[in-house]
Amino acid sequence: MTFSVRPVRALRPVRALAAVLLAGALLAGCSTFSEEGREQYERGQGGQPSADATGEATESAKPEPPYDVRPLLEPEKDYLGVAADGAPAKMKTIEDFAEKAGKKPNLIEFYSAWGDQYEQKLVQNSWDYGAVSFIAWEPFETSLKDIAAGKEDAYIREYARSVKELNLPVAISWAHEMNGFWYPWGTKKATAAQFTSAYKHIHDIFDDEGATQVIWVWSPNVTHPMPKVKLEPYWPGDEYVDWVGVVGYYADTGPSTYQALYGPTMSQIRTFTKKPFIIAETAAQAGERKPADIKDLFQGTAKREDVIGFVWFNFDKETDWRINSGPLSQKTFREQAENPSFGFDVTKP
């Protein structure tokens, strides 16, 4: 099978949502082991080591055990994440972000379309830099119904095997913002039952292939743009999710505090799971309020023990979301990032 790798900008129609937001609409905006998967993990995956002439296993022939992501799931410190143009294929924008922020990010998000191969080089680039890759896997070229029915199994298995082969931790957020209307897998074209069936089917195939290096992220949009869409029907179950990745942006026309932006969504989610939150996508609209929004994001995250960090969308698109859209914004971000609670060595969590 031949896969095409699409540029990041071609994969972000959700930013059309941000355009709606800026026009005035009020929009902001693991590995979980099943019992079978845990048994596979404990067995080490990869078969038995070869034996020498004496019948004893040779040290060099022992298979490398699967990377244990469990220490990364609820770290003592918070993740400082970023999504940046061209990264991690090229790390220049990450290095530029780190210089301006005064701290290296340890979570790097990028976007992958359904049908693209698992991009081992990009995941390796992030890891070599000192960060875990966070992939937003977007099923544009298929339907949730077909995924759940097994019509995409060959592709899913190939993807899972590639994850296992590289053997590095990776966070995967599949079909994010499923409770919104702006994606083809959202509320206009798919049901909650189709979403959960497809999500669980993908997860089960990864378990079956022994790809336990994945941190599974379930990522709804904040609820205030579509308050009638309840989240619990979209929940696949605690055994299928490691992080709850809430997506929500600070915009001039939207909520202006952490509690107003994220609180209602988190409160609703807390009625059916205690899994840790991560702000899977966020940024603040350029303008006078941006420095205050940045401070609010850092301090709101630091105050909640059940929120383990955030990913900043550092792009100049519908608005300049970058931390350096203005000198005071950059200064504020840098000051807040000095908090020792943010950032840690992911290789030694």
Side-chain angles (χ1 to χ4, degrees), residues 82-88 90-99 314:
V82 66
D85 196 9
K90 296 181 180 179
M91 298 299 290
K92 185 178 184 303
T93 52
I94 299 296
E95 293 165 353
D96 181 65
F97 173 87
E99 181 181 358
N314 205 52

Side-chain angles (χ1 to χ4, degrees), residues 8-341:
V8 168
R9 290 185 183 274
L11 298 177
R12 298 303 299 151
V14 72
R15 301 281 71 79
L17 169 63
V20 172
L21 181 155
L22 297 178
L26 210 59
L27 304 179
C30 315
S31 177
T32 292
F33 299 89
S34 64
E35 287 306 312
E36 180 184 357
R38 184 179 297 280
E39 290 172 3
Q40 290 173 336
Y41 178 85
E42 299 297 349
R43 288 197 299 270
Q45 293 300 312
Q48 299 297 320
S50 61
D52 61 18
T54 67
E56 295 183 2
T58 58
E59 189 68 27
S60 61
K62 289 183 179 179
E64 183 180 359
Y67 194 99
D68 185 359
V69 302
R70 288 174 291 183
L72 294 167
L73 300 184
E74 297 187 57
E76 293 183 1
K77 295 186 177 182
D78 289 332
Y79 286 96
L80 179 63
V82 66
D85 196 9
K90 296 181 180 179
M91 298 299 290
K92 185 178 184 303
T93 52
I94 299 296
E95 293 165 353
D96 181 65
F97 173 87
E99 181 181 358
K100 290 178 170 60
K103 185 173 287 185
K104 289 177 62 174
N106 58 358
L107 197 62
I108 297 175
E109 184 171 13
F110 64 94
Y111 304 88
S112 185
W114 193 260
D116 289 351
Q117 63 186 334
Y118 179 62
E119 296 167 284
Q120 291 186 346
K121 176 61 176 174
L122 276 60
V123 175
Q124 186 71 59
N125 285 353
S126 296
W127 189 251
D128 291 344
Y129 178 79
V132 173
S133 285
F134 185 117
I135 300 176
W137 196 9
E138 303 177 310
F140 284 110
E141 303 300 327
T142 188
S143 70
L144 305 192
K145 184 178 179 180
D146 282 350
I147 293 173
K151 295 181 180 180
E152 300 285 343
D153 284 7
Y155 166 60
I156 299 167
R157 288 191 182 278
E158 183 172 353
Y159 200 100
R161 289 166 185 163
S162 189
V163 170
K164 180 182 176 182
E165 177 186 52
L166 184 61
N167 199 23
L168 288 177
V170 59
I172 295 180
S173 173
W174 179 78
H176 56 109
E177 300 163 60
M178 77 299 285
N179 59 320
F181 54 83
W182 46 90
Y183 275 134
W185 56 85
T187 56
K188 284 189 175 181
K189 293 188 177 181
T191 67
Q194 289 171 339
F195 171 83
T196 55
S197 294
Y199 184 108
K200 290 192 286 187
H201 186 72
I202 293 168
H203 189 291
D204 288 345
I205 289 176
F206 272 68
D207 268 3
D208 185 55
E209 293 292 339
T212 58
Q213 296 84 357
V214 178
I215 298 169
W216 291 96
V217 192
W218 179 77
S219 301
N221 197 80
V222 290
T223 57
H224 64 83
M226 48 284 168
K228 294 183 179 180
V229 179
K230 300 304 179 184
L231 294 175
E232 189 169 9
Y234 288 89
W235 181 246
D238 278 13
E239 66 272 30
Y240 287 96
V241 177
D242 296 306
W243 292 345
V244 174
V246 178
V247 177
Y249 287 72
Y250 290 83
D252 287 348
T253 56
S256 60
T257 67
Y258 196 92
Q259 175 57 30
L261 180 55
Y262 301 115
T265 305
M266 291 180 173
S267 294
Q268 186 180 149
I269 291 169
R270 277 292 171 259
T271 65
F272 54 84
T273 184
K274 294 182 179 179
K275 290 290 183 175
F277 292 113
I278 189 162
I279 308 301
E281 258 189 50
T282 191
Q285 182 179 347
E288 292 183 2
R289 209 185 75 189
K290 187 167 184 173
D293 290 341
I294 291 170
K295 184 177 180 180
D296 185 65
L297 173 66
F298 271 96
Q299 296 191 358
T301 297
K303 288 177 182 177
R304 289 195 60 141
E305 292 184 359
D306 60 345
V307 181
I308 60 169
F310 64 82
V311 179
W312 186 271
F313 187 78
N314 205 52
F315 286 79
D316 182 5
K317 295 193 72 177
E318 307 78 20
T319 183
D320 193 345
W321 302 108
R322 296 175 301 172
I323 63 172
N324 60 315
S325 60
L328 186 55
S329 293
Q330 181 182 333
K331 179 176 181 291
T332 303
F333 196 100
R334 191 180 184 93
E335 289 173 348
Q336 295 299 311
E338 289 177 356
N339 185 335
S341 295

